[in-house]
Amino acid sequence: MKSRVILLLSLVMAIFTTFLFINYLQQNETKGASAPDVTKVVVAKEAIRQNQQMSVELVELTEVTKKDVHPTTLTSLEDVEGKIATAAIEKGEVILAHRVQADEAEEKVVSRKIKDGFRAVSVGVNIVQSVSNLIDPEDYVDVIHSKILEDDSVETEQLLSKVRVLAVGRKLTETTAGEDEGYVEYSSVTLELKPDDAKALIHASEEGLIHFTLHSSILPTEEE
């Protein structure tokens, strides 16, 4: 009887010892396993349209493991503030640097320079019509139209006044002060016009000759 009790106690102690040993190993494995290395990335809180101006309200930060992060992934909300989406971005999509673009870069795309309600229209010019190729983007010009009448006389009128130049040739930005780009000849000028004015300009260019007169870019001094 005594031997049975001793045997039973031995079995209980062996089971208890085994349990403690397994528990000890599991705890050591948990401590030894390092936590995944994570970082925060910028994702879209809602769908963002192409060419939409972005703000921090449209995005949020979420945690992902560093090994899954693309090198160009944005990691700060401030990285998107005021920028333009270069393509549609889906809700929950991680935002990469090439999916947004600064305003300065956007201004070089003529379709994004046009104010609401206006249109861009280009007119072919030669060196005389374009003020010796001295017109620059963001200048303001008057548009002069001349045509030969049936009696061979010439009729000249000012068709449009102080209209904005969007581009000359393929040049979309004005020259920075002090920057010397050298002489560049171009054969077209692109203007920002209301739709009706654009139609009038196209008609006039088919009917006769178009010349531009250039406004001064220096602001007048206010009279006291």
Side-chain angles (χ1 to χ4, degrees):
M1 182 71 178
K2 187 176 180 181
S3 60
R4 289 182 178 180
V5 173
I6 293 173
L7 179 60
L8 182 60
L9 288 174
S10 298
L11 288 172
V12 171
M13 289 299 296
I15 293 171
F16 182 69
T17 302
T18 302
F19 171 77
L20 291 177
F21 179 69
I22 293 173
N23 187 55
Y24 172 77
L25 289 178
Q26 289 177 340
Q27 288 180 348
N28 278 351
E29 286 178 359
T30 301
K31 291 178 181 178
S34 59
D37 199 4
V38 298
T39 187
K40 290 185 176 181
V41 298
V42 180
V43 299
K45 288 171 63 176
E46 57 188 74
I48 299 170
R49 304 185 310 275
Q50 183 178 5
N51 297 328
Q52 181 176 349
Q53 187 167 37
M54 302 180 66
S55 66
V56 294
E57 286 76 21
L58 297 175
V59 295
E60 61 186 352
L61 292 174
T62 189
E63 282 192 349
V64 296
T65 55
K66 276 191 175 180
K67 66 182 181 64
D68 296 326
V69 176
H70 190 276
T72 63
T73 300
L74 299 183
T75 57
S76 170
L77 297 180
E78 287 70 27
D79 290 338
V80 305
E81 181 63 37
K83 294 185 178 178
I84 306 295
T86 60
I89 300 172
E90 299 298 325
K91 180 179 179 180
E93 182 180 339
V94 175
I95 300 178
L96 305 181
H98 72 276
R99 303 302 293 275
V100 298
Q101 198 169 42
D103 284 339
E104 298 79 38
E106 289 298 311
E107 289 176 358
K108 296 179 182 179
V109 181
V110 71
S111 63
R112 293 165 187 157
K113 293 175 66 178
I114 305 169
K115 295 193 291 287
D116 186 39
F118 286 77
R119 303 291 186 270
V121 58
S122 295
V123 179
V125 293
N126 57 33
I127 194 167
V128 175
Q129 294 168 300
S130 61
V131 195
S132 299
N133 284 153
L134 296 177
I135 299 173
D136 270 329
E138 303 305 327
D139 280 341
Y140 283 83
V141 296
D142 293 338
V143 180
I144 309 298
H145 173 231
S146 65
K147 64 179 179 179
I148 301 175
L149 303 178
E150 292 182 358
D151 60 0
D152 291 333
S153 63
V154 177
E155 180 181 82
T156 302
E157 64 172 339
Q158 183 165 313
L159 186 67
L160 301 168
S161 300
K162 200 171 185 181
V163 295
R164 180 186 176 208
V165 177
L166 294 173
V168 290
R170 297 187 62 84
K171 181 182 175 186
L172 304 180
T173 56
E174 57 188 327
T175 304
T176 305
E179 180 183 350
D180 183 13
E181 291 188 342
Y183 174 76
V184 178
E185 187 170 346
Y186 51 83
S187 59
S188 66
V189 173
T190 301
L191 305 177
E192 179 185 64
L193 299 175
K194 289 286 189 179
D196 287 344
D197 290 338
K199 287 169 58 178
L201 176 61
I202 293 170
H203 177 78
S205 66
E206 294 292 332
E207 188 181 42
L209 291 176
I210 295 296
H211 286 258
F212 297 104
T213 57
L214 181 61
H215 283 250
S216 173
S217 60
I218 299 174
L219 296 176
T221 304
E222 293 185 3
E223 295 182 3
E224 297 182 357

